[in-house]
Amino acid sequence: MNHMKSMKFGILAAALALGSCGNWLDVTSRSEVSVDDMYSTAEGYYTSATGVYINMGDASLYGGYVALTALEPLTQQYTVSGDNETRRSWAAYEYTSETSKPIIESIWLRMYNTIFNANLVIDKLRGETRPLFDEGVREIMLGEMLALRAYMYFDLVRMFNAAWNVDPTANNVPWKTTWDATIGERIPTERLLDLIMADLSEARDLLETRDPIVTGATSRDVYVSYDRTKRMNFYAVCALRARIALYRNDYATAYDEARVVIDSGKFRFITGEEIVQTDAYGEELRSNRVFTPELVFALDNDQITLSARTYYEGLAQDLLRSNACYEEGDVRKNAWTALNSMNNLNMIKYKRSALAADSYKYPTACTPMLKLSEMYLIVEEAILNDPTLDPAPLTWLNTFREHRGTTALAESASAEMIRTALTREYICEFKGEGQLFFYYKRLNLTRVDNGLYNGNTVELDPAVYTFPRPDDENDFGN
Protein backbone atom coordinates (compact mmCIF):
# COMPACT_ATOMS: atom_id res chain seq x y z
CA MET A 1 0.00 0.00 0.00
CA ASN A 2 1.40 3.41 -0.98
CA HIS A 3 0.74 5.55 2.11
CA MET A 4 1.54 8.78 0.29
CA LYS A 5 -1.10 8.07 -2.34
CA SER A 6 -3.64 7.46 0.42
CA MET A 7 -2.70 10.72 2.14
CA LYS A 8 -2.93 12.63 -1.13
CA PHE A 9 -6.39 11.21 -1.77
CA GLY A 10 -7.50 12.18 1.74
CA ILE A 11 -6.31 15.73 1.23
CA LEU A 12 -8.13 15.94 -2.10
CA ALA A 13 -11.34 14.72 -0.49
CA ALA A 14 -11.06 17.22 2.32
CA ALA A 15 -10.40 20.00 -0.17
CA LEU A 16 -13.55 19.11 -2.07
CA ALA A 17 -15.53 18.98 1.16
CA LEU A 18 -14.36 22.45 2.03
CA GLY A 19 -14.81 23.71 -1.49
CA SER A 20 -18.46 22.84 -1.95
CA CYS A 21 -20.98 25.64 -2.37
CA GLY A 22 -21.76 28.66 -0.23
CA ASN A 23 -21.14 32.40 -0.22
CA TRP A 24 -19.46 32.21 3.17
CA LEU A 25 -16.31 30.97 1.39
CA ASP A 26 -15.93 34.37 -0.25
CA VAL A 27 -14.67 35.95 2.99
CA THR A 28 -11.36 34.12 2.96
CA SER A 29 -8.98 32.28 0.69
CA ARG A 30 -10.10 28.68 0.22
CA SER A 31 -6.59 27.54 1.07
CA GLU A 32 -6.93 29.21 4.49
CA VAL A 33 -10.26 27.66 5.45
CA SER A 34 -9.79 25.03 8.18
CA VAL A 35 -12.18 22.29 9.15
CA ASP A 36 -12.93 24.16 12.38
CA ASP A 37 -13.79 27.28 10.41
CA MET A 38 -16.03 25.27 8.12
CA TYR A 39 -18.09 24.00 11.04
CA SER A 40 -18.14 27.15 13.13
CA THR A 41 -21.63 28.12 11.91
CA ALA A 42 -24.87 26.43 10.93
CA GLU A 43 -24.33 27.71 7.39
CA GLY A 44 -21.04 25.85 7.22
CA TYR A 45 -22.80 22.62 8.11
CA TYR A 46 -25.51 23.30 5.53
CA THR A 47 -22.91 23.97 2.87
CA SER A 48 -21.00 20.78 3.61
CA ALA A 49 -24.10 18.56 3.83
CA THR A 50 -25.48 20.02 0.61
CA GLY A 51 -22.09 19.37 -0.96
CA VAL A 52 -22.57 15.63 -0.37
CA TYR A 53 -25.80 15.74 -2.38
CA ILE A 54 -24.11 17.80 -5.10
CA ASN A 55 -21.20 15.35 -5.35
CA MET A 56 -23.63 12.44 -5.66
CA GLY A 57 -25.10 14.16 -8.74
CA ASP A 58 -21.73 14.11 -10.50
CA ALA A 59 -21.49 12.49 -13.95
CA SER A 60 -19.40 9.70 -12.40
CA LEU A 61 -22.22 8.82 -10.00
CA TYR A 62 -25.98 9.39 -10.08
CA GLY A 63 -25.88 12.16 -12.67
CA GLY A 64 -24.39 9.72 -15.17
CA TYR A 65 -22.58 6.40 -14.75
CA VAL A 66 -24.37 4.72 -11.82
CA ALA A 67 -27.90 5.65 -12.82
CA LEU A 68 -27.56 5.70 -16.57
CA THR A 69 -24.52 5.71 -18.80
CA ALA A 70 -22.57 2.80 -17.26
CA LEU A 71 -25.25 0.47 -15.92
CA GLU A 72 -27.92 0.81 -18.62
CA PRO A 73 -25.86 -0.55 -21.56
CA LEU A 74 -25.13 -3.71 -19.54
CA THR A 75 -28.82 -4.74 -19.50
CA GLN A 76 -29.03 -5.81 -23.19
CA GLN A 77 -31.85 -3.32 -23.75
CA TYR A 78 -29.80 -0.97 -25.95
CA THR A 79 -27.71 -0.92 -29.10
CA VAL A 80 -24.70 1.31 -28.62
CA SER A 81 -22.92 3.21 -31.36
CA GLY A 82 -20.26 1.15 -33.10
CA ASP A 83 -18.38 4.39 -33.78
CA ASN A 84 -17.85 5.00 -30.08
CA GLU A 85 -15.20 2.55 -28.95
CA THR A 86 -15.65 3.40 -25.29
CA ARG A 87 -19.37 2.64 -25.41
CA ARG A 88 -18.88 -0.48 -27.53
CA SER A 89 -16.19 -1.93 -25.28
CA TRP A 90 -18.11 -1.17 -22.11
CA ALA A 91 -21.39 -2.61 -23.39
CA ALA A 92 -19.48 -5.78 -24.30
CA TYR A 93 -18.42 -6.13 -20.63
CA GLU A 94 -14.76 -5.55 -21.48
CA TYR A 95 -14.10 -4.02 -18.08
CA THR A 96 -10.33 -4.31 -18.31
CA SER A 97 -9.98 -2.54 -21.66
CA GLU A 98 -8.12 0.75 -21.71
CA THR A 99 -11.37 2.59 -22.44
CA SER A 100 -13.35 0.86 -19.68
CA LYS A 101 -10.83 1.15 -16.86
CA PRO A 102 -11.34 4.92 -16.47
CA ILE A 103 -15.11 4.39 -16.03
CA ILE A 104 -14.58 1.99 -13.13
CA GLU A 105 -11.88 4.15 -11.59
CA SER A 106 -14.07 7.23 -11.86
CA ILE A 107 -17.03 5.53 -10.13
CA TRP A 108 -14.82 4.14 -7.38
CA LEU A 109 -12.89 7.32 -6.59
CA ARG A 110 -15.87 9.68 -6.78
CA MET A 111 -17.98 7.38 -4.61
CA TYR A 112 -15.30 7.11 -1.95
CA ASN A 113 -14.57 10.81 -2.14
CA THR A 114 -18.23 11.54 -1.46
CA ILE A 115 -18.33 8.96 1.36
CA PHE A 116 -15.25 10.68 2.83
CA ASN A 117 -17.11 13.99 2.78
CA ALA A 118 -20.15 12.40 4.41
CA ASN A 119 -17.89 10.92 7.10
CA LEU A 120 -16.59 14.39 7.88
CA VAL A 121 -20.08 15.86 8.28
CA ILE A 122 -21.20 12.89 10.40
CA ASP A 123 -18.20 13.19 12.68
CA LYS A 124 -18.72 16.91 13.20
CA LEU A 125 -22.47 16.56 13.78
CA ARG A 126 -21.93 13.84 16.37
CA GLY A 127 -19.61 16.09 18.35
CA GLU A 128 -21.59 19.32 17.97
CA THR A 129 -22.92 20.65 21.29
CA ARG A 130 -23.27 24.36 20.51
CA PRO A 131 -26.76 25.80 19.95
CA LEU A 132 -26.24 26.39 16.23
CA PHE A 133 -29.49 24.86 15.00
CA ASP A 134 -33.20 24.93 15.67
CA GLU A 135 -34.42 21.96 17.67
CA GLY A 136 -34.13 18.68 15.75
CA VAL A 137 -32.16 20.04 12.80
CA ARG A 138 -28.84 18.52 13.86
CA GLU A 139 -30.49 15.11 14.21
CA ILE A 140 -32.19 15.42 10.81
CA MET A 141 -28.92 16.27 9.10
CA LEU A 142 -27.12 13.43 10.87
CA GLY A 143 -29.82 10.97 9.83
CA GLU A 144 -29.57 12.12 6.22
CA MET A 145 -25.79 11.81 6.10
CA LEU A 146 -25.81 8.34 7.65
CA ALA A 147 -28.42 7.20 5.14
CA LEU A 148 -26.66 8.75 2.13
CA ARG A 149 -23.45 7.00 3.13
CA ALA A 150 -25.38 3.74 3.43
CA TYR A 151 -26.92 4.30 -0.02
CA MET A 152 -23.48 4.73 -1.59
CA TYR A 153 -21.92 1.80 0.24
CA PHE A 154 -24.74 -0.50 -0.83
CA ASP A 155 -24.23 0.43 -4.46
CA LEU A 156 -20.50 -0.19 -4.12
CA VAL A 157 -21.38 -3.64 -2.78
CA ARG A 158 -23.76 -4.25 -5.68
CA MET A 159 -21.13 -3.22 -8.23
CA PHE A 160 -17.85 -4.54 -6.85
CA ASN A 161 -18.81 -7.61 -4.78
CA ALA A 162 -20.34 -10.81 -6.06
CA ALA A 163 -24.09 -11.01 -5.49
CA TRP A 164 -25.21 -11.98 -1.98
CA ASN A 165 -26.81 -15.16 -3.31
CA VAL A 166 -23.51 -16.14 -4.91
CA ASP A 167 -20.93 -15.22 -2.27
CA PRO A 168 -21.84 -13.30 0.90
CA THR A 169 -18.18 -13.42 1.96
CA ALA A 170 -16.93 -11.29 -0.97
CA ASN A 171 -14.84 -8.43 0.41
CA ASN A 172 -13.81 -6.07 -2.37
CA VAL A 173 -15.36 -2.99 -0.75
CA PRO A 174 -13.37 -1.19 1.98
CA TRP A 175 -15.43 0.13 4.91
CA LYS A 176 -14.33 3.48 6.27
CA THR A 177 -16.33 5.77 8.54
CA THR A 178 -13.62 8.28 9.42
CA TRP A 179 -12.14 11.17 7.43
CA ASP A 180 -8.51 10.69 8.42
CA ALA A 181 -5.77 9.10 6.32
CA THR A 182 -6.13 5.61 7.76
CA ILE A 183 -6.86 2.64 5.55
CA GLY A 184 -10.35 1.36 4.95
CA GLU A 185 -10.94 -2.24 5.99
CA ARG A 186 -12.18 -4.73 3.42
CA ILE A 187 -14.84 -6.79 5.14
CA PRO A 188 -17.27 -9.47 3.87
CA THR A 189 -20.57 -8.41 2.31
CA GLU A 190 -22.60 -10.06 5.09
CA ARG A 191 -20.85 -8.00 7.77
CA LEU A 192 -20.80 -4.85 5.67
CA LEU A 193 -24.55 -5.04 5.12
CA ASP A 194 -25.05 -5.45 8.87
CA LEU A 195 -23.12 -2.21 9.42
CA ILE A 196 -25.07 -0.43 6.68
CA MET A 197 -28.40 -1.56 8.12
CA ALA A 198 -27.28 -0.47 11.59
CA ASP A 199 -26.54 3.01 10.24
CA LEU A 200 -29.94 3.05 8.57
CA SER A 201 -31.59 1.96 11.81
CA GLU A 202 -29.98 4.91 13.58
CA ALA A 203 -31.00 7.22 10.73
CA ARG A 204 -34.56 5.89 10.94
CA ASP A 205 -34.72 6.64 14.67
CA LEU A 206 -33.27 10.13 14.20
CA LEU A 207 -35.75 11.05 11.49
CA GLU A 208 -38.96 9.32 12.57
CA THR A 209 -40.05 11.91 15.14
CA ARG A 210 -38.36 14.94 13.58
CA ASP A 211 -38.59 14.80 9.78
CA PRO A 212 -41.23 17.28 8.53
CA ILE A 213 -42.31 14.74 5.91
CA VAL A 214 -43.50 12.59 8.84
CA THR A 215 -44.61 15.21 11.36
CA GLY A 216 -46.09 17.72 8.95
CA ALA A 217 -44.49 20.49 10.97
CA THR A 218 -43.12 23.57 9.25
CA SER A 219 -39.69 24.94 10.02
CA ARG A 220 -37.99 28.30 9.67
CA ASP A 221 -34.74 26.46 9.03
CA VAL A 222 -33.66 26.84 5.41
CA TYR A 223 -32.09 23.37 5.27
CA VAL A 224 -35.00 21.43 6.73
CA SER A 225 -37.65 23.40 4.81
CA TYR A 226 -36.20 22.23 1.47
CA ASP A 227 -38.40 19.75 -0.44
CA ARG A 228 -38.03 16.65 1.71
CA THR A 229 -38.40 14.25 -1.23
CA LYS A 230 -35.14 15.77 -2.49
CA ARG A 231 -33.45 14.87 0.78
CA MET A 232 -32.77 11.44 2.26
CA ASN A 233 -35.95 11.59 4.33
CA PHE A 234 -37.47 9.11 6.80
CA TYR A 235 -39.43 7.20 4.14
CA ALA A 236 -36.37 7.05 1.89
CA VAL A 237 -34.52 5.36 4.74
CA CYS A 238 -37.33 2.80 5.04
CA ALA A 239 -37.30 2.27 1.26
CA LEU A 240 -33.53 1.68 1.23
CA ARG A 241 -33.84 -0.75 4.13
CA ALA A 242 -36.50 -2.61 2.12
CA ARG A 243 -34.21 -2.76 -0.92
CA ILE A 244 -31.27 -4.08 1.11
CA ALA A 245 -33.39 -6.58 3.05
CA LEU A 246 -34.73 -8.03 -0.20
CA TYR A 247 -31.15 -8.23 -1.52
CA ARG A 248 -30.16 -10.53 1.32
CA ASN A 249 -33.38 -12.54 1.38
CA ASP A 250 -34.78 -11.03 4.57
CA TYR A 251 -38.29 -11.02 3.18
CA ALA A 252 -40.13 -10.08 6.37
CA THR A 253 -38.06 -6.92 6.85
CA ALA A 254 -38.33 -6.05 3.17
CA TYR A 255 -42.11 -6.42 3.35
CA ASP A 256 -42.46 -4.40 6.56
CA GLU A 257 -40.25 -1.51 5.48
CA ALA A 258 -41.82 -1.24 2.03
CA ARG A 259 -45.26 -1.23 3.63
CA VAL A 260 -44.24 1.73 5.82
CA VAL A 261 -43.64 3.73 2.63
CA ILE A 262 -46.79 2.54 0.88
CA ASP A 263 -49.07 2.92 3.89
CA SER A 264 -47.80 6.41 4.72
CA GLY A 265 -50.03 7.95 2.05
CA LYS A 266 -47.28 10.50 1.35
CA PHE A 267 -46.69 9.23 -2.19
CA ARG A 268 -49.06 8.36 -5.01
CA PHE A 269 -49.00 7.04 -8.56
CA ILE A 270 -49.03 9.63 -11.31
CA THR A 271 -52.04 9.79 -13.64
CA GLY A 272 -51.75 9.70 -17.41
CA GLU A 273 -53.09 13.25 -17.67
CA GLU A 274 -50.26 14.58 -15.52
CA ILE A 275 -47.43 13.10 -17.59
CA VAL A 276 -47.68 15.18 -20.75
CA GLN A 277 -50.06 18.05 -21.55
CA THR A 278 -50.19 19.40 -25.10
CA ASP A 279 -52.01 22.16 -26.94
CA ALA A 280 -54.30 21.68 -29.93
CA TYR A 281 -51.25 21.44 -32.21
CA GLY A 282 -49.46 18.77 -30.22
CA GLU A 283 -46.97 21.19 -28.68
CA GLU A 284 -45.98 20.21 -25.13
CA LEU A 285 -47.26 22.60 -22.50
CA ARG A 286 -46.20 20.55 -19.49
CA SER A 287 -44.22 17.35 -19.04
CA ASN A 288 -43.47 15.18 -16.00
CA ARG A 289 -41.62 12.13 -17.30
CA VAL A 290 -39.85 11.41 -14.00
CA PHE A 291 -43.23 10.91 -12.28
CA THR A 292 -42.53 13.20 -9.33
CA PRO A 293 -45.56 12.19 -7.17
CA GLU A 294 -44.01 8.71 -6.93
CA LEU A 295 -40.50 9.77 -5.93
CA VAL A 296 -39.65 8.84 -2.35
CA PHE A 297 -36.18 10.30 -2.85
CA ALA A 298 -34.82 12.02 -5.94
CA LEU A 299 -31.44 13.67 -6.36
CA ASP A 300 -31.64 17.17 -7.82
CA ASN A 301 -28.99 17.56 -10.53
CA ASP A 302 -28.71 18.97 -14.03
CA GLN A 303 -26.06 16.45 -15.03
CA ILE A 304 -28.58 13.66 -15.59
CA THR A 305 -30.25 15.80 -18.25
CA LEU A 306 -26.94 16.35 -20.01
CA SER A 307 -25.98 12.66 -19.77
CA ALA A 308 -29.31 11.56 -21.21
CA ARG A 309 -29.19 14.17 -23.95
CA THR A 310 -25.66 13.14 -24.93
CA TYR A 311 -26.09 9.37 -24.97
CA TYR A 312 -29.80 8.51 -25.16
CA GLU A 313 -31.70 11.21 -27.02
CA GLY A 314 -29.55 11.46 -30.14
CA LEU A 315 -29.65 9.75 -33.49
CA ALA A 316 -26.76 7.31 -33.18
CA GLN A 317 -25.75 6.74 -29.56
CA ASP A 318 -27.43 4.31 -27.12
CA LEU A 319 -30.71 3.35 -28.78
CA LEU A 320 -33.43 1.17 -27.28
CA ARG A 321 -33.82 -2.07 -29.18
CA SER A 322 -37.57 -2.13 -28.59
CA ASN A 323 -40.42 -0.91 -26.41
CA ALA A 324 -42.37 -4.15 -26.88
CA CYS A 325 -42.26 -4.84 -23.13
CA TYR A 326 -44.99 -2.22 -22.73
CA GLU A 327 -48.63 -3.00 -23.35
CA GLU A 328 -50.38 -0.50 -25.62
CA GLY A 329 -52.19 1.20 -22.75
CA ASP A 330 -49.10 1.45 -20.54
CA VAL A 331 -48.57 5.10 -19.57
CA ARG A 332 -44.78 4.54 -19.53
CA LYS A 333 -44.54 3.65 -23.21
CA ASN A 334 -44.99 7.14 -24.65
CA ALA A 335 -43.62 8.86 -21.56
CA TRP A 336 -40.22 7.14 -21.72
CA THR A 337 -39.74 6.01 -25.34
CA ALA A 338 -40.04 7.77 -28.70
CA LEU A 339 -38.98 7.29 -32.29
CA ASN A 340 -36.41 9.79 -33.53
CA SER A 341 -36.11 11.24 -37.04
CA MET A 342 -34.10 8.19 -38.15
CA ASN A 343 -36.96 5.93 -36.97
CA ASN A 344 -34.84 4.59 -34.12
CA LEU A 345 -36.06 4.40 -30.55
CA ASN A 346 -34.81 6.85 -27.92
CA MET A 347 -35.14 6.58 -24.14
CA ILE A 348 -36.62 9.98 -23.19
CA LYS A 349 -37.28 9.77 -19.43
CA TYR A 350 -35.08 12.83 -18.80
CA LYS A 351 -35.90 14.74 -21.97
CA ARG A 352 -36.58 18.45 -21.65
CA SER A 353 -36.14 21.54 -23.79
CA ALA A 354 -32.68 23.10 -23.70
CA LEU A 355 -34.26 26.57 -23.82
CA ALA A 356 -34.21 28.39 -20.50
CA ALA A 357 -37.54 29.98 -21.40
CA ASP A 358 -39.13 26.52 -21.38
CA SER A 359 -37.94 25.50 -17.93
CA TYR A 360 -41.37 26.15 -16.40
CA LYS A 361 -42.75 23.20 -18.38
CA TYR A 362 -40.81 20.63 -16.35
CA PRO A 363 -40.17 19.61 -12.75
CA THR A 364 -36.65 20.23 -11.47
CA ALA A 365 -34.15 17.96 -13.20
CA CYS A 366 -33.44 14.99 -10.95
CA THR A 367 -32.41 11.36 -10.77
CA PRO A 368 -34.99 8.99 -9.24
CA MET A 369 -33.24 7.18 -6.37
CA LEU A 370 -36.10 5.44 -4.53
CA LYS A 371 -39.67 5.17 -5.81
CA LEU A 372 -43.13 4.10 -4.68
CA SER A 373 -43.33 1.63 -7.56
CA GLU A 374 -40.28 -0.28 -6.32
CA MET A 375 -41.94 -0.68 -2.92
CA TYR A 376 -44.91 -2.44 -4.54
CA LEU A 377 -42.56 -4.74 -6.44
CA ILE A 378 -40.55 -5.47 -3.29
CA VAL A 379 -43.71 -6.36 -1.36
CA GLU A 380 -44.84 -8.66 -4.16
CA GLU A 381 -41.47 -10.42 -4.40
CA ALA A 382 -41.24 -10.79 -0.64
CA ILE A 383 -44.66 -12.49 -0.60
CA LEU A 384 -43.66 -14.68 -3.53
CA ASN A 385 -40.76 -16.01 -1.47
CA ASP A 386 -42.65 -16.09 1.85
CA PRO A 387 -46.41 -16.52 1.28
CA THR A 388 -47.08 -16.26 5.04
CA LEU A 389 -46.46 -12.50 4.84
CA ASP A 390 -49.76 -11.61 3.15
CA PRO A 391 -53.04 -13.45 2.51
CA ALA A 392 -53.68 -11.55 -0.75
CA PRO A 393 -50.41 -11.98 -2.65
CA LEU A 394 -51.37 -10.47 -6.01
CA THR A 395 -52.93 -7.32 -4.59
CA TRP A 396 -49.67 -5.40 -4.76
CA LEU A 397 -48.54 -6.29 -8.24
CA ASN A 398 -52.01 -5.86 -9.70
CA THR A 399 -52.52 -2.50 -7.98
CA PHE A 400 -49.25 -1.34 -9.48
CA ARG A 401 -50.18 -2.63 -12.94
CA GLU A 402 -53.59 -0.96 -12.76
CA HIS A 403 -51.91 2.42 -12.19
CA ARG A 404 -49.61 1.80 -15.14
CA GLY A 405 -52.57 1.00 -17.41
CA THR A 406 -51.74 -2.68 -17.90
CA THR A 407 -53.71 -5.86 -17.40
CA ALA A 408 -53.94 -7.66 -14.07
CA LEU A 409 -52.57 -11.13 -13.45
CA ALA A 410 -55.18 -13.80 -12.79
CA GLU A 411 -55.57 -14.97 -9.21
CA SER A 412 -54.59 -18.44 -10.43
CA ALA A 413 -51.17 -17.21 -11.63
CA SER A 414 -48.37 -19.58 -10.72
CA ALA A 415 -45.21 -18.55 -8.88
CA GLU A 416 -43.33 -18.79 -12.18
CA MET A 417 -45.83 -16.46 -13.87
CA ILE A 418 -45.50 -13.94 -11.03
CA ARG A 419 -41.70 -14.08 -11.26
CA THR A 420 -41.90 -13.49 -15.02
CA ALA A 421 -44.25 -10.55 -14.43
CA LEU A 422 -41.87 -9.05 -11.85
CA THR A 423 -38.97 -9.31 -14.27
CA ARG A 424 -41.05 -7.63 -16.93
CA GLU A 425 -41.85 -4.77 -14.56
CA TYR A 426 -38.18 -4.23 -13.76
CA ILE A 427 -37.50 -4.03 -17.51
CA CYS A 428 -40.39 -1.60 -17.99
CA GLU A 429 -40.15 0.49 -14.83
CA PHE A 430 -36.49 1.35 -14.36
CA LYS A 431 -35.44 2.67 -17.75
CA GLY A 432 -32.52 5.02 -17.23
CA GLU A 433 -32.10 4.27 -13.52
CA GLY A 434 -29.62 1.39 -13.41
CA GLN A 435 -31.85 -0.86 -11.31
CA LEU A 436 -32.47 -3.50 -13.99
CA PHE A 437 -28.77 -4.46 -13.99
CA PHE A 438 -28.88 -4.83 -10.21
CA TYR A 439 -32.05 -6.94 -10.47
CA TYR A 440 -30.40 -9.34 -12.90
CA LYS A 441 -27.34 -9.56 -10.67
CA ARG A 442 -29.32 -10.12 -7.46
CA LEU A 443 -30.97 -13.16 -9.03
CA ASN A 444 -27.72 -14.19 -10.78
CA LEU A 445 -29.60 -14.66 -14.05
CA THR A 446 -27.65 -16.47 -16.76
CA ARG A 447 -30.19 -15.66 -19.48
CA VAL A 448 -31.86 -12.26 -19.84
CA ASP A 449 -34.23 -10.57 -22.25
CA ASN A 450 -32.53 -9.66 -25.53
CA GLY A 451 -34.07 -6.19 -25.60
CA LEU A 452 -36.71 -7.04 -28.19
CA TYR A 453 -39.10 -8.62 -25.68
CA ASN A 454 -40.15 -11.30 -28.14
CA GLY A 455 -39.48 -14.31 -25.93
CA ASN A 456 -35.85 -14.64 -26.93
CA THR A 457 -33.03 -14.29 -24.43
CA VAL A 458 -29.27 -13.89 -24.48
CA GLU A 459 -26.81 -15.75 -22.32
CA LEU A 460 -24.73 -13.86 -19.76
CA ASP A 461 -21.73 -15.09 -17.83
CA PRO A 462 -22.51 -14.14 -14.20
CA ALA A 463 -18.96 -12.84 -13.95
CA VAL A 464 -20.06 -9.72 -15.88
CA TYR A 465 -22.18 -8.64 -12.92
CA THR A 466 -19.13 -7.79 -10.82
CA PHE A 467 -16.80 -4.92 -11.67
CA PRO A 468 -13.09 -5.42 -10.98
CA ARG A 469 -11.52 -3.09 -8.47
CA PRO A 470 -9.56 -0.32 -10.19
CA ASP A 471 -5.83 -0.80 -10.59
CA ASP A 472 -5.07 1.80 -7.95
CA GLU A 473 -7.86 0.78 -5.56
CA ASN A 474 -5.32 0.82 -2.73
CA ASP A 475 -5.88 4.55 -2.63
CA PHE A 476 -8.70 3.66 -0.25
CA GLY A 477 -7.88 0.30 1.21
CA ASN A 478 -6.39 -3.10 0.61
Side-chain angles (χ1 to χ4, degrees):
M1 163 66 193
N2 186 325
H3 181 73
M4 290 306 295
K5 288 177 71 179
S6 177
M7 181 67 76
K8 181 180 178 181
F9 179 76
I11 292 170
L12 170 63
L16 285 175
L18 296 175
S20 297
C21 58
N23 294 333
W24 71 278
L25 283 174
D26 297 339
V27 301
T28 184
S29 165
R30 292 191 181 202
S31 63
E32 297 172 356
V33 174
S34 70
V35 171
D36 288 341
D37 288 337
M38 177 71 182
Y39 295 100
S40 63
T41 65
E43 186 182 4
Y45 274 100
Y46 300 159
T47 295
S48 192
T50 302
V52 174
Y53 286 96
I54 291 171
N55 284 350
M56 288 180 71
D58 186 83
S60 296
L61 297 182
Y62 302 97
Y65 284 153
V66 181
L68 184 64
T69 51
L71 295 192
E72 285 295 283
L74 305 180
T75 62
Q76 295 294 317
Q77 299 297 300
Y78 302 84
T79 301
V80 302
S81 172
D83 296 332
N84 187 327
E85 176 56 24
T86 297
R87 303 299 289 163
R88 186 213 62 76
S89 177
W90 179 259
Y93 311 105
E94 295 171 359
Y95 300 143
T96 59
S97 72
E98 290 308 306
T99 58
S100 293
K101 282 182 179 180
I103 295 174
I104 290 174
E105 181 177 290
S106 182
I107 293 172
W108 179 276
L109 291 179
R110 175 56 76 173
M111 195 79 91
Y112 270 111
N113 173 263
T114 309
I115 287 171
F116 184 103
N117 292 342
N119 289 345
L120 175 58
V121 185
I122 290 167
D123 180 63
K124 292 302 176 182
L125 284 168
R126 286 200 188 282
E128 187 55 73
T129 58
R130 295 167 295 179
L132 299 180
F133 311 105
D134 288 346
E135 184 178 355
V137 173
R138 184 191 71 87
E139 290 81 1
I140 289 173
M141 292 176 65
L142 177 57
E144 287 182 25
M145 293 299 109
L146 286 167
L148 288 179
R149 183 174 71 185
Y151 194 109
M152 290 183 279
Y153 264 125
F154 182 53
D155 278 355
L156 282 169
V157 166
R158 293 200 289 181
M159 287 184 281
F160 291 95
N161 279 356
W164 168 271
N165 287 325
V166 174
D167 181 12
T169 68
N171 67 339
N172 291 323
V173 176
W175 172 254
K176 182 175 172 64
T177 58
T178 61
W179 54 278
D180 55 25
T182 57
I183 308 304
E185 179 188 3
R186 281 171 50 190
I187 58 179
T189 295
E190 52 190 354
R191 183 177 160 214
L192 184 53
L193 292 183
D194 283 340
L195 293 169
I196 291 171
M197 287 293 268
D199 274 356
L200 288 171
S201 181
E202 181 182 358
R204 197 182 194 277
D205 291 343
L206 287 165
L207 292 165
E208 186 169 15
T209 59
R210 299 178 178 94
D211 193 336
I213 201 171
V214 179
T215 67
T218 57
S219 173
R220 299 171 303 168
D221 186 275
V222 65
Y223 185 88
V224 174
S225 60
Y226 192 77
D227 180 355
R228 294 301 298 163
T229 65
K230 301 300 179 63
R231 299 293 193 199
M232 193 71 191
N233 62 75
F234 169 77
Y235 296 109
V237 172
C238 297
L240 181 56
R241 283 176 56 85
R243 180 185 281 178
I244 296 172
L246 184 68
Y247 180 79
R248 58 178 184 172
N249 305 333
D250 180 359
Y251 302 118
T253 299
Y255 177 90
D256 289 343
E257 295 285 5
R259 283 293 303 270
V260 170
V261 179
I262 294 170
D263 296 345
S264 73
K266 304 289 184 178
F267 314 96
R268 64 173 178 83
F269 287 106
I270 199 168
T271 63
E273 295 75 21
E274 294 175 282
I275 298 172
V276 177
Q277 300 170 21
T278 60
D279 62 19
Y281 303 98
E283 183 73 20
E284 282 192 8
L285 300 175
R286 289 286 193 278
S287 155
N288 187 346
R289 292 189 171 89
V290 294
F291 294 10
T292 53
E294 305 180 11
L295 300 181
V296 180
F297 169 46
L299 190 65
D300 276 349
N301 72 100
D302 292 324
Q303 183 59 51
I304 194 70
T305 303
L306 180 59
S307 297
R309 190 174 292 153
T310 302
Y311 293 104
Y312 291 89
E313 297 166 14
L315 298 179
Q317 288 290 335
D318 292 18
L319 299 168
L320 277 169
R321 290 191 169 126
S322 168
N323 59 9
C325 62
Y326 298 108
E327 294 181 20
E328 199 53 45
D330 195 320
V331 297
R332 296 168 293 189
K333 183 174 184 178
N334 292 330
W336 296 343
T337 72
L339 291 173
N340 61 33
S341 61
M342 297 289 289
N343 213 35
N344 291 317
L345 200 61
N346 289 141
M347 191 280 292
I348 60 168
K349 178 175 284 185
Y350 303 108
K351 188 174 183 179
R352 58 202 292 132
S353 169
L355 299 176
D358 288 339
S359 61
Y360 72 93
K361 296 180 179 180
Y362 313 97
T364 304
C366 65
T367 303
M369 304 285 275
L370 292 157
K371 307 194 300 185
L372 178 65
S373 56
E374 184 183 0
M375 298 304 103
Y376 276 80
L377 298 178
I378 285 175
V379 166
E380 188 65 47
E381 189 172 348
I383 298 167
L384 179 62
N385 286 281
D386 182 359
T388 65
L389 291 171
D390 199 300
L394 277 176
T395 298
W396 307 99
L397 182 57
N398 280 341
T399 297
F400 168 68
R401 289 167 71 91
E402 177 186 355
H403 284 286
R404 289 294 183 252
T406 59
T407 54
L409 261 67
E411 291 297 325
S412 59
S414 65
E416 182 180 357
M417 292 170 65
I418 296 172
R419 170 67 68 190
T420 298
L422 284 168
T423 300
R424 178 176 188 168
E425 292 305 339
Y426 272 86
I427 293 171
C428 290
E429 180 65 20
F430 296 101
K431 288 279 186 286
E433 298 178 34
Q435 298 303 321
L436 177 59
F437 176 77
F438 288 140
Y439 174 81
Y440 286 160
K441 177 173 181 173
R442 174 164 60 84
L443 298 178
N444 199 42
L445 298 184
T446 57
R447 301 202 69 88
V448 302
D449 173 60
N450 67 354
L452 299 178
Y453 212 81
N454 58 5
N456 292 325
T457 58
V458 293
E459 186 173 0
L460 287 186
D461 179 349
V464 306
Y465 292 133
T466 304
F467 298 167
R469 283 175 292 157
D471 292 339
D472 56 354
E473 60 86 21
N474 283 339
D475 277 354
F476 215 86
N478 60 27

